[in-house]
Amino acid sequence: MKHLVFLTGAGMSAESGISTFRDAGGLWENYDVMKVASIEGWEEDPELVQQFYNDRRAQLAKVEPNKGHILIAGLENAFKVSVVTQNVDNLHERAGSSDVTHLHGELTKACNERKTQIQHIGFNPIRPGEKAEDGSRLRPFIVWFGEAVPLIEKAAEIVSKADMVVIIGTSMQVYPAAGLIRYARRGIPVFLIDPNDVPAPGNVFVIKEKASTGMEILKEKLTQIQ
Ligand code: OAD
């Protein structure tokens, strides 16, 4: 079976109704990223940070995977499919994808300050003052700016084994995620699905469409090469 690797970002979930970060009207226009998504922000105002992620989690409960997520999951009938996502939502899993690596953490999980104890919290809020098992503050299981990205090596390994890579809905501005494509074997096809212009790395087939339409086009192409 050919191994398809999808590298997805916020644009993947845009059609489900989740805001991207850097588009016009995106989250970072309304929030100061360093206040709500950095380790410094957490130290300065943990309640603001908790509220930000509690809101994201509550919103996630109200949205559904879109056609793009569903088409990716459906490809598991004919391919080995791995998803490496920067998204903290669980829409790939809810669409049926079985191999999803979350580089930037997961909204439906919480952890202790040292990130050694992880617990499922579903769509529930973390309450002010709530403690983890080890007595430290319970916090969202999210990779904030200023923190390590522990799954980056696993992700690089996945990309290095790909027979094809498809990048969907990421502005490719946040490293180390944006550098993952460099681990792809030379000469394999790389597709990029995004309705806007993104700095495309090297030889990339650009499908300038939203995730759902782009995935329909890609699926057509895949039935030809399968
Ligand atoms: P961005 O908001 O930076 O980029 C979103 C991308 O999605 C842009 O290239 C848009 O053109 C594209 N897009 C918009 N609508 C789309 C649609 N319907 N279909 C497909 N693409 C669409 O989001 P990311 O690149 O994911 O990290 O951002 C990376 C990281 O920055 C996030 O994981 C988050 C953020 O700060 C942390 O918070 C640690």
Side-chain angles (χ1 to χ4, degrees):
M1 259 188 178
K2 295 260 186 215
H3 187 187
L4 310 188
V5 175
F6 288 84
L7 301 178
T8 69
M12 183 77 231
S13 300
E15 289 164 271
S16 294
I18 297 182
S19 296
T20 60
F21 296 97
R22 295 177 182 78
D23 289 303
L27 280 171
W28 295 158
E29 225 170 64
N30 298 312
Y31 294 91
D32 179 341
V33 51
M34 293 314 279
K35 286 204 184 329
V36 297
S38 76
I39 194 72
E40 293 87 354
W42 169 246
E43 293 308 340
E44 198 182 297
D45 191 347
E47 277 176 23
L48 178 77
V49 175
Q50 294 285 23
Q51 192 57 54
F52 177 75
Y53 288 101
N54 284 345
D55 290 348
R56 306 271 80 70
R57 208 175 295 112
Q59 181 196 32
L60 181 56
K62 295 192 194 124
V63 303
E64 298 291 336
N66 64 57
K67 192 162 186 190
H69 296 108
I70 292 164
L71 287 172
I72 292 174
L75 290 172
E76 291 189 19
N77 291 331
F79 299 94
K80 175 173 161 58
V81 178
S82 300
V83 177
V84 175
T85 187
Q86 294 173 76
N87 298 345
V88 296
D89 65 54
N90 59 2
L91 296 176
H92 281 298
E93 289 91 338
R94 279 158 64 190
S97 283
S98 59
D99 179 17
V100 185
T101 301
H102 286 273
L103 284 175
H104 293 163
E106 295 173 68
L107 272 176
T108 54
K109 293 178 180 169
C111 62
N112 59 344
E113 298 252 24
R114 289 166 55 218
K115 290 186 138 179
T116 51
Q117 297 169 331
I118 297 159
Q119 64 191 71
H120 286 264
I121 55 167
F123 300 122
N124 297 312
I126 300 177
R127 292 182 306 277
E130 204 170 338
K131 295 272 188 274
E133 265 176 56
D134 68 354
S136 69
R137 292 177 295 181
L138 192 67
R139 53 161 280 180
F141 183 57
I142 300 286
V143 173
W144 287 320
F145 287 99
E147 293 193 300
V149 183
L151 291 176
I152 196 71
E153 282 180 19
K154 179 189 173 202
E157 178 76 13
I158 293 170
V159 173
S160 74
K161 302 226 170 84
D163 296 307
M164 178 189 281
V165 175
V166 185
I167 302 166
I168 306 181
T170 170
S171 60
M172 308 283 276
Q173 288 195 34
V174 174
Y175 282 82
L180 275 176
I181 189 60
R182 300 208 190 99
Y183 291 87
R185 283 182 294 130
R186 204 170 286 211
I188 65 161
V190 178
F191 287 87
L192 187 147
I193 299 173
D194 199 298
N196 300 305
D197 290 321
V198 177
N203 281 338
V204 170
F205 300 103
V206 177
I207 301 176
K208 203 173 170 190
E209 297 284 355
K210 290 183 176 179
S212 58
T213 312
M215 274 305 300
E216 279 171 16
I217 294 168
L218 185 80
K219 195 182 159 195
E220 272 307 302
K221 289 186 193 291
L222 289 175
T223 48
Q224 288 157 22
I225 64 158
Q226 198 180 309

